[in-house]
Amino acid sequence: MGRSDNQNVGQESSGVHVFASLGRRRYRSLLALADGVIGNSSSGIIETPSFGLPTVNIGARQEGRLRAENIIDVSAMRR
């Protein structure tokens, strides 16, 4: 993957990679390889069902959107 000016791009910690942006092609290519998705992005609600990926949606940000069976909603808790 290409580098960016963002210091965290491509940085790995415990098997987790953080990217500022992947673009559509790279993002969908990674979805095809992923075991699941965790977050609060509309992508988890809209795009992951076509990949059959289990998805954990955190918080109420995507409230009101239709859900496929692969989506698990959990509340966001602050400490």
Side-chain angles (χ1 to χ4, degrees), residues 4-5 7-8 11-12 18 21-22 24-25 27 34-35 39 55 62-63 65-67 70-71 74:
S4 168
D5 291 335
Q7 281 186 319
N8 295 328
Q11 188 174 48
E12 183 179 349
V18 178
S21 178
L22 293 170
R24 282 181 202 237
R25 176 183 264 168
Y27 179 70
D35 292 323
T55 301
Q62 303 305 322
E63 198 169 294
R65 292 187 187 265
L66 293 176
R67 302 287 200 274
N70 68 310
I71 310 297
V74 298

Side-chain angles (χ1 to χ4, degrees), residues 1-78:
M1 305 261 166
R3 297 271 310 155
S4 168
D5 291 335
N6 184 333
Q7 281 186 319
N8 295 328
V9 172
Q11 188 174 48
E12 183 179 349
S13 174
S14 303
V16 174
H17 297 267
V18 178
F19 297 91
S21 178
L22 293 170
R24 282 181 202 237
R25 176 183 264 168
R26 286 184 180 145
Y27 179 70
R28 289 187 176 143
S29 294
L30 287 175
L31 282 180
L33 299 171
D35 292 323
V37 173
I38 300 172
N40 66 357
S41 169
S42 60
S43 169
I45 306 298
I46 296 169
E47 296 183 60
T48 64
S50 63
F51 289 88
L53 284 174
T55 301
V56 177
N57 178 57
I58 303 171
R61 184 168 177 233
Q62 303 305 322
E63 198 169 294
R65 292 187 187 265
L66 293 176
R67 302 287 200 274
E69 291 181 10
N70 68 310
I71 310 297
I72 298 169
D73 290 300
V74 298
S75 64
M77 297 177 11
R78 291 189 174 180

